[in-house]
Amino acid sequence: MEVELMKTEIDKVFDLQKTHSLNMRSSTAEERIGLLRSLHDWVLEHREDIKKAMYADYRKPYTETDITEIYPVLSEAKHTIKCLKNWMKTKRVPTPVTFLGTKAHIQFEPKGSSLIIAPWNYPFNLAICPLVSALSAGCTVMIKPSEMTPHTSALIKQMISELFSENLVSVIEGGLEASQLLLAKPFDHIFFTGSPMVGKIVMRSASDHLGSVTLELGGKSPVVIAPDADLKDAARKIASTKFINCGQTCVAPDFVLVPRSLRDEFVQNLNEAIDTLYSSDGQGVEKSADYGRIVNERHFNRLNQLVEEACKNGATLAKGGKNIPEENFIEPTILTMVKENMMVMEDEIFGPLLPIMDYENIDDALNFINKMPKPLALYAFSKSDKKLGYIFRKTSSGPAVSTDCV
Ligand code: NAD
């Protein structure tokens, strides 16, 4: 769509929704539950279309779409349908002595008009789960799905136009221009999922209107293997969470810190775990129906450059190295002898590359984590609760997970 046309469309829908958001203030739990039911049923009925759209976008395996896109949306809708009446109830709260003789209560109200900007890596889930929240909270919603997954974005547009009037929910497709035009509007709340860099732009734009934001961003999520960890179990769990969606998961294990004396045994276990997952028939990962692809050529090239630079500076390729440019295929890749100044240790990897760094003393590993920006998530493997407690007390992160990942 041309920019001028897009602007006209956005201005029109924004005004319609602003007006309608006032009606939504008095919407009842039953009315909102009705909206959620119709959304839930549409998703259930169109499972095959959703799978096909994501396969067309980046060969996302059907089973992965079931588990990571369709199931989360259905369960989020179901949970909300079950709880909404209770969540909306006005709650009595005590007043302090200084207001003797008064009564107080908390009455929940919708924020008003909201905007959801979604990323491409779980393109359905991360656009529609926030929609469930926004509708249950009585907000109007404009959704901007990612331009990098056009088949899924078109399906989301179709779904929304079949289910809702545009003064309640509407989809604006497009890239940077669409985002910028939307961010110029005074939304009451913006829900953004994406990179930290664009998160800053969103927060800055919201501040122009003093709108509130929810930012779901990315980052590096380390795994710490303690000296007493069950290496086989750790390798199996790391492999299955790292390489799902071809490593393009915000909370995927980004790199592993392992005791030097256990490195080779751990890598051996990891190699075996990867083969069991994707090449148990010995045909190679590229033949597996369970392994996805990199979303586009730009990211394919970016990831290959990371491997090249690491190897040039002394890293060893302990697994991987195969890629197929015409398919944006990159094999699960393990790098050892990785150093902190390599490019692969700078930003979130967001692909099927797993650097392994070894350590002599666990405090060195934890100090290294503490020097980096706060991890989005942190994973630790040990047989001892005491050791796990030590790791989590000495670090700070988003979710901190014992003996598992993601
Ligand atoms: P991105 O930040 O590049 O894009 C996200 C959205 O912002 C897209 O819809 C895009 O069109 C829009 N956008 C891009 N540049 C913009 C700009 N300059 N101004 C305004 N809008 C702009 O992210 P992505 O590549 O789509 O997704 C990957 C990132 O998302 C990773 O960092 C990942 O960790 C993160 N992520 C986080 C979570 C979470 O829940 N924390 C979940 C999934 C992905």
Side-chain angles (χ1 to χ4, degrees):
M1 199 191 284
E2 253 179 57
V3 179
E4 261 321 298
L5 264 177
M6 199 189 289
K7 184 176 180 327
T8 312
E9 170 75 4
I10 288 172
D11 288 348
K12 182 197 83 179
V13 177
F14 181 83
D15 290 344
L16 282 173
Q17 293 200 351
K18 203 75 191 165
T19 308
H20 189 57
S21 68
L22 301 178
N23 304 332
M24 285 298 287
R25 272 188 195 165
S26 47
S27 58
T28 62
E30 286 72 21
E31 284 163 344
R32 296 182 200 175
I33 286 168
L35 300 172
L36 298 177
R37 279 228 166 85
S38 63
L39 183 151
H40 174 275
D41 294 349
W42 194 98
V43 174
L44 206 56
E45 259 172 48
H46 292 80
R47 294 164 91 106
E48 289 311 306
D49 298 332
I50 298 168
K51 289 184 210 175
K52 279 183 195 151
M54 258 167 270
Y55 190 85
D57 280 330
Y58 62 117
R59 263 178 78 163
K60 181 150 177 155
Y62 277 21
T63 323
E64 276 192 18
T65 300
D66 252 330
I67 299 169
T68 65
E69 306 271 359
I70 298 173
Y71 171 74
V73 168
L74 291 176
S75 65
E76 184 89 348
K78 269 198 214 150
H79 177 68
T80 309
I81 288 167
K82 194 170 108 204
C83 302
L84 187 59
K85 224 172 177 169
N86 197 26
W87 291 341
M88 285 175 70
K89 271 189 194 143
T90 297
K91 292 192 175 36
R92 281 286 300 274
V93 285
T95 53
V97 173
T98 36
F99 298 131
L100 198 65
T102 61
K103 284 183 190 156
H105 61 263
I106 296 171
Q107 187 176 317
F108 299 98
E109 61 170 33
K111 287 204 177 224
S113 62
S114 73
L115 168 65
I116 294 169
I117 300 182
W120 56 264
N121 66 326
Y122 290 92
F124 192 73
N125 173 349
L126 297 176
I128 306 304
C129 281
L131 173 65
V132 169
S133 306
L135 286 175
S136 67
C139 294
T140 59
V141 193
M142 287 177 88
I143 304 175
K144 209 233 34 96
S146 175
E147 68 280 21
M148 295 215 221
T149 41
H151 295 89
T152 311
S153 299
L155 188 68
I156 291 174
K157 192 170 176 80
Q158 180 202 327
M159 161 181 163
I160 297 304
S161 63
E162 284 177 23
L163 288 175
F164 307 112
S165 57
E166 69 174 352
N167 63 359
L168 178 60
V169 189
S170 155
V171 174
I172 302 291
E173 288 178 282
L176 185 60
E177 287 102 351
S179 258
Q180 285 171 337
L181 289 170
L182 285 162
L183 287 172
K185 306 301 285 183
F187 285 97
D188 295 302
H189 190 76
I190 303 176
F191 191 111
F192 171 79
T193 309
S195 60
M197 193 192 77
V198 180
K200 289 179 196 169
I201 296 172
V202 170
M203 200 165 183
R204 238 177 264 134
S205 311
S207 75
D208 285 341
H209 315 291
L210 297 178
S212 54
V213 290
T214 305
L215 302 177
E216 290 282 358
L217 308 180
K220 281 178 108 60
S221 300
V223 184
V224 182
I225 308 279
D228 68 335
D230 177 339
L231 295 185
K232 201 176 164 99
D233 178 62
R236 194 176 50 81
K237 287 169 175 169
I238 293 168
S240 60
T241 51
K242 171 70 186 184
F243 300 108
I244 192 165
N245 210 29
C246 212
Q248 302 162 119
T249 300
C250 56
V251 284
D254 190 274
F255 64 94
V256 181
L257 292 156
V258 66
R260 194 155 302 147
S261 58
L262 300 178
R263 184 193 59 214
D264 293 347
E265 190 186 342
F266 173 68
V267 169
Q268 171 70 22
N269 276 293
L270 205 50
N271 268 323
E272 285 168 15
I274 294 168
D275 288 344
T276 307
L277 278 171
Y278 299 113
S279 187
S280 52
D281 56 3
Q283 296 290 304
V285 182
E286 67 273 29
K287 295 276 188 307
S288 170
D290 297 326
Y291 189 73
R293 295 296 183 265
I294 305 302
V295 71
N296 58 28
E297 196 185 339
R298 178 164 69 81
H299 282 285
F300 173 82
N301 291 335
R302 175 183 66 81
L303 290 160
N304 282 322
Q305 273 163 16
L306 293 181
V307 177
E308 229 172 78
E309 195 264 354
C311 291
K312 212 162 66 192
N313 291 302
T316 306
L317 208 51
K319 186 167 187 70
K322 181 162 189 176
N323 58 50
I324 307 173
E326 52 282 11
E327 287 184 17
N328 291 330
F329 167 84
I330 298 183
E331 204 178 0
T333 301
I334 302 173
L335 292 163
T336 53
M337 310 305 285
V338 171
K339 300 279 169 298
E340 58 184 282
N341 58 358
M342 291 176 177
M343 268 161 61
V344 76
M345 292 308 296
E346 271 171 25
D347 294 321
E348 179 185 14
I349 294 172
F350 223 56
L353 322 178
L354 188 62
I356 316 279
M357 290 180 79
D358 40 57
Y359 67 82
E360 212 43 78
N361 179 316
I362 194 140
D363 285 322
D364 297 339
L366 304 185
N367 289 340
F368 176 67
I369 292 171
N370 288 333
K371 266 198 316 194
M372 307 183 85
K374 195 179 282 208
L376 189 61
L378 176 68
Y379 310 116
F381 287 84
S382 166
K383 287 184 193 136
S384 145
D385 285 345
K386 212 166 144 199
K387 279 206 183 78
L388 291 166
Y390 182 80
I391 294 169
F392 294 141
R393 265 196 316 279
K394 290 274 180 179
T395 52
S396 173
S397 60
V401 182
S402 316
T403 59
D404 216 329
C405 300
V406 178

